Amino acid sequence: MKTIQEQALDLAQILEDGKAENVTVIDVSELNSWTDFFVIATIRSSAQIQGLQKQIKDFVKENDMQIHLTHRKQPDGDEWNLIDIGSVVIHLMSQEARDFYELEKLWHAGKVLR
């Protein structure tokens, strides 16, 4: 069985294979109690988001993981899609959202693995 870190890195590879850009994995396990890794990627279109979400769901199912439903006050859009898998949280972001929120800067104390 793979470690959570290996699963996070595998998810990052899936995103990169799906043409997501600037894929980053940050170990935030020492910084909070609700997740261990962020996987952040820049996406270019809603079609790309849909394809990547399907691949992520397939990976989750194959690895006996579970996607936790997130509740949003605003309707889902193409700017920032969050997939919560418990120990791994995936952020699929437009370039504009990524530039605005700067998650890597916000979580700078985490260890960048990729």
Side-chain angles (χ1 to χ4, degrees), residues 4 12 21 29 31 48 72-73 86 91-92 98-99 106:
I4 300 297
E21 299 173 8
S29 60
L31 306 176
Q48 185 182 30
R72 296 178 60 156
K73 293 181 181 180
H91 303 268
L92 302 176
R98 197 152 178 189
D99 290 344
L106 182 66

Side-chain angles (χ1 to χ4, degrees), residues 1-86:
M1 183 156 180
K2 293 184 178 186
T3 66
I4 300 297
Q5 180 174 321
E6 290 170 331
Q7 291 173 332
L9 292 169
D10 285 350
L11 286 160
Q13 188 61 54
I14 288 170
L15 296 175
E16 190 169 280
D17 292 347
K19 306 296 184 215
E21 299 173 8
N22 196 17
V23 179
T24 304
V25 178
I26 304 173
D27 181 343
V28 294
S29 60
E30 299 295 321
L31 306 176
N32 68 72
S33 62
W34 46 271
T35 194
D36 295 321
F37 296 93
F38 282 165
V39 179
I40 307 166
T42 302
I43 47 83
R44 295 289 176 197
S45 70
S46 59
Q48 185 182 30
I49 291 171
Q50 291 173 3
L52 291 172
Q53 286 176 333
K54 182 185 180 333
Q55 291 178 333
I56 290 165
K57 286 178 185 176
D58 291 345
F59 179 88
V60 165
K61 186 176 180 180
E62 291 167 6
N63 288 275
D64 293 323
M65 300 168 84
Q66 182 179 3
I67 294 176
H68 304 279
L69 297 177
T70 57
H71 300 283
R72 296 178 60 156
K73 293 181 181 180
Q74 299 176 356
D76 288 340
D78 293 342
E79 293 296 311
W80 187 355
N81 283 267
L82 184 137
I83 302 171
D84 181 356
I85 308 172

